[in-house]
Amino acid sequence: MQTRTLGRTARMVSVIGLGTWQLGADWGEVAEGDAFAVLDAAHDAGVTFFDTADVYGDGRSESLIGAWLRANPGSGVTVATKMGRRMPQQHANYSAEHFRGWIDRSRANLGVETLDLVQLHCPPSSVYGDDRVFDALDALVDDGSIAAYGVSVERVDEALTAIARPNVATVQIILNAFRLKPLDEVLPAAVAAGVGIIARVPLASGLLSGRYTSDTIFAANDHRSFNRHGEAFDVGETFSGVDYETGVRAASEFTALAREAAPSASPAQVALAWIAAQPGVSSVIPGARSPQQARANAEAGSLRLPPSFDEAVRELYDREIRAAVHERW
């Protein structure tokens, strides 16, 4: 497993991390024992970075990770959480008072005095330009409640505004073979500023695994059923904002390219390794619902791909995806 510096935190983390949205049961039910098995398998495979949020299962994901940390003292795992989605998405709600309440709740859920990394959870765009918001975050670092802070963004312009702030340690952004826009400006700016990039939705909600067809049916409580058009939250979080039929067609081509580039690897592993190879990426955070998935994802952390594959990914994106995604990203 390769390791990278997590931006301005100076922490070393695995290039393949673990996203834990699914442990909150927002992708269908996940039993507690199954959740612990996933965390165990990921860590055993070299994963040292877990990403969660206070709203994943209304704190269930944080609490499961907290229990795992207590059972595995000295694990060396860095845990990043997020805050800001427990109230209506209004600029005024991103206040020092609310931050304190959210931070204390996450500290209790995770069972720690100091949170390793806290990220604003895709707040309204105007928040990124508000000095008072970042002064409040600085105060939480100063009093030891958090060790560092970053942002999770939806848009390139939000990422660039955040990167320009002196104490933002990381930027989390959707980046995968079906979402290339961050490569143009965001990653170079992050490299220049020393800000870490956390790549989320790396498999385009599973499309890039090559396992789905036009006939695939997802559970009713799976966001891939209820948020295809942004009914519940930003549509970019589901299939990277790509129309499902377009995504399935393009994923079939991606699978063929992946098998040619790395015959012994799965399409999902190739998709993760491609992101990890992009300059500026600190960690890629696929989710996993089984120990087998967690181990397979981790194996991508040592996979090397030929340069020709990067060229093929960009050509596929230009031909099949670029016109199908919303320009605001």
Side-chain angles (χ1 to χ4, degrees):
M1 175 70 74
Q2 300 176 60
T3 59
R4 307 267 174 87
T5 303
L6 186 60
R8 290 170 173 157
T9 70
R11 292 171 177 260
M12 297 300 294
V13 297
S14 54
V15 71
I16 302 298
L18 179 68
T20 64
W21 185 4
Q22 75 286 352
L23 300 188
D26 296 311
W27 294 54
E29 292 302 318
V30 177
E32 183 174 310
D34 292 338
F36 289 147
V38 166
L39 296 170
D40 283 338
H43 185 251
D44 290 347
V47 171
T48 59
F49 182 60
F50 296 165
D51 179 85
T52 185
D54 60 1
V55 291
Y56 292 170
D58 194 27
R60 183 175 190 262
S61 177
E62 286 184 331
S63 294
L64 287 168
I65 292 171
W68 185 90
L69 291 173
R70 289 189 293 276
N72 293 272
S75 67
V77 168
T78 293
V79 178
T81 192
K82 307 182 199 74
M83 66 177 182
R85 290 270 159 176
R86 302 194 62 77
M87 298 182 72
Q89 288 304 285
Q90 300 169 2
H91 186 144
N93 286 333
Y94 284 79
S95 67
E97 178 184 1
H98 292 151
F99 287 174
R100 170 52 61 195
W102 297 335
I103 288 293
D104 287 349
R105 185 176 187 272
S106 290
R107 291 164 66 202
N109 285 343
L110 287 163
V112 298
E113 287 297 317
T114 301
L115 298 171
D116 296 335
L117 176 67
V118 174
Q119 304 156 94
L120 299 184
H121 199 169
C122 300
S125 292
S126 58
V127 167
Y128 298 97
D130 188 341
D131 290 344
R132 291 173 298 178
V133 168
F134 293 90
D135 289 345
L137 291 169
D138 288 335
L140 290 167
V141 173
D142 291 342
D143 73 16
S145 297
I146 64 178
Y149 63 82
V151 298
S152 183
V153 306
E154 298 288 1
R155 295 165 35 175
V156 162
D157 60 334
E158 294 168 346
L160 294 173
T161 300
I163 288 168
R165 287 198 168 270
N167 296 326
V168 167
T170 59
V171 168
Q172 184 175 142
I173 194 167
I174 298 173
L175 175 62
N176 59 57
F178 291 171
R179 181 73 75 87
L180 301 192
K181 197 169 182 180
L183 301 183
D184 296 336
E185 295 182 75
V186 174
L187 267 61
V191 170
V195 170
I197 292 292
I198 302 168
R200 78 174 184 277
V201 198
L203 300 179
S205 303
L207 278 176
L208 289 165
S209 70
R211 295 186 291 111
Y212 303 145
T213 71
S214 297
D215 298 323
T216 300
I217 297 175
F218 300 97
N221 62 347
D222 188 318
H223 74 102
R224 292 172 292 184
S225 289
F226 65 74
N227 193 59
R228 290 195 181 187
H229 305 289
E231 296 92 332
F233 41 80
D234 194 285
V235 69
E237 302 291 342
T238 302
F239 301 126
S240 293
V242 178
D243 170 74
Y244 183 68
E245 295 299 327
T246 299
V248 167
R249 183 175 65 250
S252 178
E253 289 195 53
F254 179 88
T255 293
L257 293 171
R259 288 175 174 160
E260 181 179 352
S264 64
S266 70
Q269 289 172 324
V270 172
L272 297 174
W274 176 81
I275 301 170
Q278 302 306 312
V281 171
S282 296
S283 192
V284 187
I285 52 170
R289 295 190 62 182
S290 71
Q292 293 80 6
Q293 280 186 329
R295 286 190 288 267
N297 289 342
E299 288 173 4
S302 59
L303 183 62
R304 300 294 193 277
L305 301 172
S308 59
F309 182 73
D310 184 71
E311 298 169 8
V313 167
R314 294 169 190 261
E315 190 279 330
L316 173 61
Y317 176 83
D318 287 340
R319 176 166 42 85
E320 296 289 341
I321 302 297
R322 185 180 294 276
V325 296
H326 200 294
E327 278 302 309
R328 77 187 189 90
W329 294 309

